[in-house]
């Protein structure tokens, strides 16, 4: 029974007892002190009239002092009961009548949706991914307050326990395309077990904090197990090792020759401070700039006069050799001719992944952490300048902040930037809202764990999309474009109207990568297009 309903029952029982007690004592008092006997029914009527504040009938006034005192006391008791009824009965009833009620089951014959279990601090990025792709979903959330907040925010939600088959059945799991669970390592395994008990065919995707527990999620029945912390650490490490490794592990391959990759402009690079047009990137390297991150904000198809500063990340397409030439061009002399020292601050799961990747690449690394250990070189507070000086931040080539707390990371960024104005500063954060603050504090490149988790989870569901970036909604799609047949890309103003870039054309089983404004689209062509989620949707509406 709900708490407020239990209160109502107890209050009603107490009130009934008080009315009965008042009726009996009033009957006795009228006989003894007033010498005016009343029947039990008449006494009961008096008690009801008094507690309901409708009056005392014809019994008033009373002659004896004892009865007047009795009536005064019972008046106070009745007033207390009346005021007590407001929070116990009236307020809950009004709240129940006027408040929003979260569904306990998914209505209709929904199918092909994604079941998300359940709402966490990382859920927003995943739900945004589904919203941008128009993928139906339902969140199964056991906490009533969280479920209500999601429901009032416009999300499809069911208030139920995702660790039970009944809770998952209320979300029509059997008709769903996939289940995504990201609560904790133990809870996720429990949810997967419940899901497989209900439907062995549903595709279960779970997220692990500790990669060593992936095996147990597989044993529970998970079809795909994601480890975003490891991937985040690998991505940050790759930004450090790009200068000495040119295999471009992060690049997305389009056919045998074309690559799409992120390339950072480092402090000391000859490109820093120039405009996109003035840098001559296209002429000098042959790549095509699809978009760029300026101070953490992504801009598709940046204008020619856009300024390239240290920390700008370019999203480009080209052959492997062209991208490698751009990598060399964006690095500073120090990065080209010497590996230098890297300081990794924080040795959690992300930090360990970074350190392992750097050591495998043969790069010198100094590890800083508050807690000591065999792998820790400097023990101390990441926000203490003396700790960072001892770690050699002032002379380092790159500093990577892998701290679990965003507020600490922001302050450590300020301290590190003050000690080393020209150091390359990479960082991880938990909350996407911390990304712009980290850039303002002085970080060059920032990845959000929530965004990485959301992108990974969405990509596991949307298998027909290629994810290009972990920190923004950039994707590659292949699409036939009947509206473009017979027209050139320049005539259709594809890039100007949608922000997307046509990077290749699949024609007669061949991949045409030499695409420009004068390229004419033929019948049967399938265009390979890169852009943000919004840009791709605009492209498909306009030309597909």
């Amino acid at each position: 029974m709900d708490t407020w309903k239990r209160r109502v029952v107890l209050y009603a029982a107490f009130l009934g007892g008080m009315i009965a007690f008042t009726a009996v004592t009033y009957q006795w008092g009228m006989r003894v002190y007033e010498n005016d006997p009343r029947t039990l029914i008449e006494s009961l009527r008096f008690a009801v009239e008094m507690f309901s504040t409708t009056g005392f009938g014809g019994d008033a006034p009373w002659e004896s002092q004892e009865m007047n005192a009795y009536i005064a006391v019972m008046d106070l008791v009745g007033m207390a009961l009346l005021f007590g009824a407001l929070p116990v009965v009236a307020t809950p009833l009004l709240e129940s009548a006027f408040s929003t009620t979260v569904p306990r089951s998914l209505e209709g014959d929904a199918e092909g949706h994604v079941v998300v279990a359940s709402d966490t601090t990382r859920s927003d990025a995943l739900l945004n991914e589904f919203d941008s792709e128009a993928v139906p979903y339902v969140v199964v959330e056991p906490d009533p307050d969280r479920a209500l907040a999601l429901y009032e925010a416009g999300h499809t939600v069911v208030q139920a326990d995702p660790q039970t088959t009944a809770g998952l059945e209320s979300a029509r799991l059997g008709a769903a395309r996939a289940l995504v669970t990201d609560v904790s390592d133990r809870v996720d395994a429990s949810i997967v077990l419940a899901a497989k008990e209900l439907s062995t065919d549903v595709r279960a995707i779970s997220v692990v904090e500790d990669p060593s527990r992936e095996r147990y999620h597989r044993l529970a029945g998970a079809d795909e197990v994601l480890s975003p912390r490891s991937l985040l650490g690998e991505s940050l490490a790759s930004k450090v090792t790009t200068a000495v490794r040119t295999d471009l592990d992060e690049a997305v391959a389009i056919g045998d020759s074309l690559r799409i990759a992120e390339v950072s402009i480092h402090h000391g690079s000859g490109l820093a401070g120039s405009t996109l047009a003035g840098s001559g990137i296209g002429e000098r390297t042959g790549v095509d700039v699809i978009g760029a991150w300026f101070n953490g904000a992504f801009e598709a198809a940046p204008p020619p006069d856009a300024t390239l500063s240290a920390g700008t990340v370019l999203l480009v397409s080209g052959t492997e050799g062209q991208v490698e030439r751009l990598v060399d061009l964006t690095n500073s002399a120090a990065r080209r001719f010497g590996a230098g020292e890297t300081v990794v601050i924080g040795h959690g799961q992300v930090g360990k992944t970074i350190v392992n990747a750097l050591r495998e690449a043969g790069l010198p690394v100094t590890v800083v952490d508050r807690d000591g250990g065999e792998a820790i070189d400097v023990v101390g507070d990441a926000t203490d300048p003396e700790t960072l000086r001892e770690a050699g931040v002032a002379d380092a080539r790159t500093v990577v902040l892998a701290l679990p707390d965003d507020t600490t990371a922001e302050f450590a960024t300020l301290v590190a930037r003050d000690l080393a104005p020209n150091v390359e500063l990479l960082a991880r954060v938990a909350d996407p809202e911390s990304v712009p603050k980290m850039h303002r504090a002085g970080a060059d490149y920032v990845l959000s764990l929530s965004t990485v988790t959301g992108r990974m989870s969405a990509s596991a569901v949307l298998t027909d999309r290629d994810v290009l970036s972990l920190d923004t909604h950039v994707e590659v799609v292949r699409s036939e474009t009947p509206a473009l047949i017979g027209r050139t890309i320049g005539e259709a103003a594809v890039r100007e109207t949608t922000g997307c870039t046509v990077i290749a054309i699949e024609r007669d089983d061949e991949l045409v990568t030499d695409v420009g404004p004068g390229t004419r689209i033929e019948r049967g062509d399938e265009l390979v297009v890169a852009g943000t989620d919004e840009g791709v949707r605009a492209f498909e509406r306009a030309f597909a």
Side-chain angles (χ1 to χ4, degrees), residues 314-371:
L314 301 175
L315 181 64
V316 300
S317 65
T319 65
E320 185 168 342
Q322 290 170 338
V323 176
E324 287 178 357
R325 284 196 292 272
L326 177 61
V327 169
D328 187 63
L329 193 63
T330 57
N331 286 327
S332 65
R335 291 179 67 89
R336 284 195 297 268
F337 300 117
E341 183 81 16
T342 299
V343 178
V344 177
I345 302 175
H347 201 245
Q349 185 58 51
V350 175
K352 289 177 182 176
T353 303
I354 296 170
V355 171
N356 291 338
L358 295 180
R359 286 177 174 162
E360 286 177 5
L363 299 179
V365 58
T366 299
V367 183
V368 181
D369 197 80
R370 179 183 292 273
D371 301 320

Side-chain angles (χ1 to χ4, degrees), residues 174 246 351 437 457:
T246 56
K437 291 196 290 183
S457 301

